[in-house]
Amino acid sequence: MEESEQTPLDRDVNKLLIASQPLSGGIDASTAPHRIPADMLQYGEENNIFEMMQSLLEQLLIYQPSEPIQFMISHLQLNNDSVPKIVILGPPASGKTTIAMWLCKHLSSSLVNRDILSLRFSSMSSDVYAEFQKTEYLTSPVLIHLLQSRLAEDDCVRKGWILDGIPETREQTLMLQTIGIVPRHVIVLSAPDTVLIERNLGKRVDPKTGEIYHTTFDWPSDVSIQNRLVEPQGISEPETVQKLLSYHRNIAEITPLYPRILKVISADQPCMDVFYQALTYVQSSHRSNAPFTPRVVLLGPMGSGKSLQAALLAQKYGLVNLCCGQLLKEVVATQDKIGMVVQSYFGKKAAVPDTLIMKVLVHRLIQPNSLTQGWVLHGFPRDPDQARLLDALGHKPNRVFFLNVPFDTILERLTLRRMDPVTGERYHLLYKPPPTMEIQERLLQNPKDSEERVKFKLDLYYRNLAELQEYYPHAISLNGDQDPYTVFEYIESGIIAPLPKKVH
């Protein structure tokens, strides 16, 4: 996260977390990698240790309890760090109340909006409420006070909450942040004003259930419901235009206060589509502030694009690009003792034993840049035994991707590859044909690209695929039969997103 996007509380918490780290290089061990257990970061991410500590520190800074130890114990016992905390904003007639109600039903959370808080306000002092009845307006301090007391109740603490149309102004947003009411997801619905005005004119409300209907787009089939629908106040065109002007003025000041957690969704589409987009977003996890060193394994058949994706990852994130076959060739070139042994297997065209492969691979994995920058490995492991061996030696990957490409596509990609023996230029008879007939006539095919050899390699891969997928249950499967940069975006999002939380 950029410094400018961090709230003061975020900065204070991160400073405290950094200061509490006992090792001079931070948790990524950039200055002392040998002192860090290889599985420390994996354990921290799998158990959400950083997020847990960050939440504790936030609560301590907000409430400043006299008994901090007991306070932290009570907070951990609540076990509610992952419950929904959602804000849904939008102009009049954008459907935010409907979406909020549907999300509440789906997530079993508590709905809170201005109307609900107004009803609670009626139980306060008669003089204050009498003034409210005259103006029909809750001042910001009163609204935030009511909201704070509502969110502190047991159902909101245990099951989470969804705020419908709150906060309404920058002032209210800052007041919420000051008292520690910070959502995890903020949704802003958006639609053209002309559409919203037309929608508002047809709005009807069921006074019994609070459900909102529309004379054109969402008319109930039940006659009894139709008969009891009423036209809400304040939906005329002049009133709607005035509300839209006020909304646009306020929302422009609110959105910058939620830079990392806000998503804009078009409300000018079927309500069910809006709901599913909102649901997908609120069920997603934001990128963690925890220090993270990627250890990525790309699995897939030959020709699935692993080498290209590894190169893209290495280029963008500075990861060490580890191709097992290339490592073996490099060690042979050194002509040292291990290289001579590997060369003997190459000479016999025999498979290099797993133990020898691991010796070469581990030597590269323990180099400082691999430990501090992270790595992306492809070409290994090829079967469950190699995967277990990699883990046993302390180099367990924290992200695994399967690139799935149809059998026929692999054959097309590989068997049509050719090379010009004169220039060394590589061609593909379908995707990159030679420019002249003269060049085409002298093109050669690498023996490993013959159809027989490709089918043999594919058979070996698919023979081990099911067991590898079982060994890596949290691996991400991707469609590799699409534009390489689209595949890269999916891989990138899988690396940036935190691991799924454990379900106890």
Side-chain angles (χ1 to χ4, degrees):
M1 177 169 58
E2 297 293 333
E3 185 70 19
S4 60
E5 295 180 352
Q6 291 185 332
T7 65
L9 181 59
D10 286 333
R11 288 194 288 269
D12 291 341
V13 169
N14 285 332
K15 287 176 183 177
L16 284 169
L17 286 169
I18 292 170
S20 67
Q21 293 172 6
L23 299 174
S24 60
I27 199 166
D28 65 354
S30 58
T31 61
H34 58 284
R35 298 175 58 191
I36 302 292
D39 58 352
M40 176 183 285
L41 291 176
Q42 185 81 12
Y43 173 82
E45 187 182 23
E46 288 179 350
N47 294 278
N48 304 297
I49 300 300
F50 186 93
E51 291 78 12
M52 186 191 305
M53 297 302 296
Q54 185 174 36
S55 176
L56 281 172
L57 282 171
E58 286 175 353
Q59 298 302 308
L60 286 170
L61 291 172
I62 291 166
Y63 295 104
Q64 302 175 25
S66 57
E67 297 289 341
I69 301 300
Q70 186 57 49
F71 176 87
M72 288 191 288
I73 293 173
S74 300
H75 176 76
L76 290 172
Q77 287 175 335
L78 286 174
N79 192 28
N80 70 339
D81 283 340
S82 60
V83 299
K85 294 181 179 179
I86 303 166
V87 165
I88 299 184
L89 305 175
S94 60
K96 58 182 179 295
T97 298
T98 299
I99 299 301
M101 293 175 65
W102 288 0
L103 286 175
C104 279
K105 291 178 181 178
H106 192 90
L107 302 173
S108 300
S109 298
S110 299
L111 177 66
V112 182
N113 57 29
R114 175 177 276 277
D115 292 339
I116 292 172
L117 294 178
S118 297
L119 292 173
R120 295 171 62 86
F121 187 52
S122 63
S123 63
M124 298 181 71
S125 68
S126 57
D127 293 341
V128 177
Y129 186 62
E131 182 65 24
F132 164 70
Q133 288 181 310
K134 292 178 184 178
T135 63
E136 295 188 350
Y137 180 74
L138 288 175
T139 63
S140 291
V142 172
L143 179 70
I144 299 305
H145 172 72
L146 290 169
L147 180 60
Q148 185 178 21
S149 64
R150 175 67 186 95
L151 298 187
E153 294 180 1
D154 185 62
D155 62 321
C156 289
V157 173
R158 287 186 299 101
K159 299 189 298 181
W161 43 262
I162 298 177
L163 303 187
D164 169 21
I166 304 173
E168 303 165 322
T169 64
R170 175 183 173 84
E171 178 191 18
Q172 292 177 8
T173 307
L174 292 173
M175 292 173 70
L176 289 176
Q177 293 178 342
T178 301
I179 61 177
I181 298 177
V182 181
R184 291 195 178 88
H185 299 86
V186 176
I187 294 172
V188 176
L189 301 181
S190 175
D193 286 355
T194 52
V195 173
L196 297 171
I197 293 170
E198 181 184 354
R199 281 189 186 179
N200 220 24
L201 293 174
K203 185 186 293 184
R204 299 295 182 269
V205 178
D206 184 343
K208 185 175 181 180
T209 65
E211 291 278 357
I212 298 175
Y213 296 92
H214 195 278
T215 54
T216 304
F217 306 117
D218 185 24
W219 193 245
S221 56
D222 191 324
V223 177
S224 62
I225 296 178
Q226 294 177 13
N227 293 335
R228 67 172 183 253
L229 294 183
V230 297
E231 181 178 309
Q233 295 182 347
I235 66 170
S236 67
E237 185 169 341
E239 290 172 305
T240 302
V241 169
Q242 190 61 39
K243 290 178 180 177
L244 285 171
L245 288 173
S246 176
Y247 168 80
H248 290 311
R249 184 169 57 250
N250 287 316
I251 197 66
E253 297 180 334
I254 293 174
T255 52
L257 300 177
Y258 293 123
R260 297 178 61 228
I261 57 175
L262 183 143
K263 181 177 180 63
V264 177
I265 297 177
S266 171
D268 190 14
Q269 55 181 322
C271 198
M272 192 59 67
D273 292 347
V274 178
F275 169 68
Y276 280 122
Q277 288 180 43
L279 180 63
T280 300
Y281 176 62
V282 301
Q283 289 180 328
S284 66
S285 298
H286 298 297
R287 182 176 181 178
S288 171
N289 289 327
F292 175 61
T293 304
R295 299 189 300 278
V296 183
V297 166
L298 300 180
L299 298 173
M302 60 184 303
S304 58
K306 301 186 297 296
S307 297
L308 174 58
Q309 298 304 323
L312 292 173
L313 286 173
Q315 180 182 27
K316 182 166 184 178
Y317 291 102
L319 306 183
V320 177
N321 188 348
L322 301 176
C323 172
C324 203
Q326 185 62 33
L327 285 176
L328 293 175
K329 292 177 183 177
E330 289 174 3
V331 78
V332 167
T334 64
Q335 293 294 305
D336 62 8
K337 185 176 180 180
I338 296 180
M340 298 296 288
V341 176
V342 174
Q343 175 62 49
S344 67
Y345 286 97
F346 281 5
K348 295 182 290 186
K349 295 186 178 180
V352 180
D354 289 351
T355 53
L356 192 54
I357 293 175
M358 282 307 303
K359 188 172 292 188
V360 174
L361 182 57
V362 167
H363 177 74
R364 187 64 187 86
L365 290 173
I366 63 174
Q367 297 302 309
N369 61 344
S370 296
L371 292 171
T372 59
Q373 296 171 213
W375 44 262
V376 52
L377 174 63
H378 51 110
F380 190 93
R382 298 179 183 273
D383 57 53
D385 290 337
Q386 291 181 345
R388 281 187 280 269
L389 191 56
L390 185 65
D391 288 1
L393 293 173
H395 300 284
K396 184 177 182 180
N398 50 28
R399 294 294 188 277
V400 178
F401 298 90
F402 285 93
L403 303 183
N404 299 321
V405 180
F407 183 87
D408 291 341
T409 301
I410 294 291
L411 285 178
E412 182 181 273
R413 286 184 181 182
L414 299 184
T415 60
L416 298 181
R417 293 195 301 196
R418 298 292 187 271
M419 186 185 75
D420 185 344
V422 175
T423 64
E425 184 74 20
R426 296 177 182 274
Y427 295 96
H428 190 280
L429 298 183
L430 183 61
Y431 305 127
K432 186 188 174 184
T436 66
M437 287 299 296
E438 179 185 356
I439 295 176
Q440 181 168 334
E441 289 175 358
R442 68 174 184 244
L443 293 183
L444 299 176
Q445 182 186 49
N446 191 316
K448 70 177 184 180
D449 290 338
S450 67
E451 184 170 339
E452 180 183 0
R453 186 64 181 165
V454 170
K455 286 182 177 179
F456 175 75
K457 289 276 191 175
L458 288 174
D459 181 63
L460 286 178
Y461 171 77
Y462 289 116
R463 197 180 302 171
N464 294 305
L465 178 59
E467 289 186 85
L468 276 171
Q469 289 174 327
E470 185 178 348
Y471 186 78
Y472 292 121
H474 299 299
I476 300 173
S477 291
L478 302 172
N479 174 18
D481 189 17
Q482 51 187 329
D483 179 76
Y485 292 97
T486 301
V487 177
F488 176 70
E489 288 178 3
Y490 280 113
I491 293 175
E492 187 177 30
S493 65
I495 292 174
I496 291 174
L499 291 172
K501 289 182 171 61
K502 290 183 177 179
V503 180
H504 297 286

